[in-house]
Amino acid sequence: MDAKNIFIACNRYAGRIKWVVILGNEWNYIGVGDDYNEAKVNKFISNFFEDPEIYLVVDRHNSSLIQTTNAAQLIRQLLTRNNVTICNKDFTKMILFNSIGVMKHGTRII
């Protein structure tokens, strides 16, 4: 899939995601810049996704298939300027990262 189609598919299915709510909030703080907790994000991503490859979605021109093990490091670089979404290849599981240093995760309702 090219970047544009990844972006379109991700946005289409994002509306069907049931976000996990913990203690009354779906957003979890992960930090940004020097405060970014890469180890926490990496552990969460590896527990949430079983796939060795996932989509990294930023915009129509900057979306691609990446190795799951590299996701937390790439998110660190992008998060200061962009919102970032990562999802599996069939768009049933997503983690959305907001540029203010929070993330939420969920699975698609069929």
Side-chain angles (χ1 to χ4, degrees), residues 9-106:
C10 182
N11 283 320
R12 176 173 183 245
Y13 290 118
R16 296 182 186 163
I17 296 292
K18 179 172 175 36
W19 302 108
V20 175
V21 176
I22 302 169
L23 299 173
N25 193 356
E26 60 189 23
W27 292 98
N28 300 302
Y29 183 73
I30 47 114
V32 68
D34 293 337
D35 203 26
Y36 178 74
N37 190 338
E38 187 172 330
K40 177 181 177 180
V41 173
N42 192 41
K43 183 178 178 183
F44 189 85
I45 290 170
S46 64
N47 289 336
F48 190 66
F49 294 109
E50 307 87 31
D51 307 323
E53 295 180 320
I54 55 177
Y55 288 124
L56 175 73
V57 183
V58 180
D59 59 34
R60 287 182 174 272
H61 307 288
N62 192 10
S63 299
S64 61
L65 190 64
I66 62 165
Q67 295 295 314
T68 304
T69 54
N70 299 336
Q73 182 182 2
L74 293 170
I75 291 165
R76 171 191 281 279
Q77 298 167 3
L78 295 166
L79 201 56
T80 56
R81 296 170 308 226
N82 303 288
N83 293 334
V84 178
T85 303
I86 56 175
C87 54
N88 58 356
K89 290 181 183 179
D90 58 0
F91 303 98
T92 56
K93 289 182 157 186
M94 291 187 188
I95 305 176
L96 192 136
F97 297 87
N98 190 288
S99 61
I100 62 170
V102 293
M103 65 171 244
K104 65 180 179 177
H105 68 286

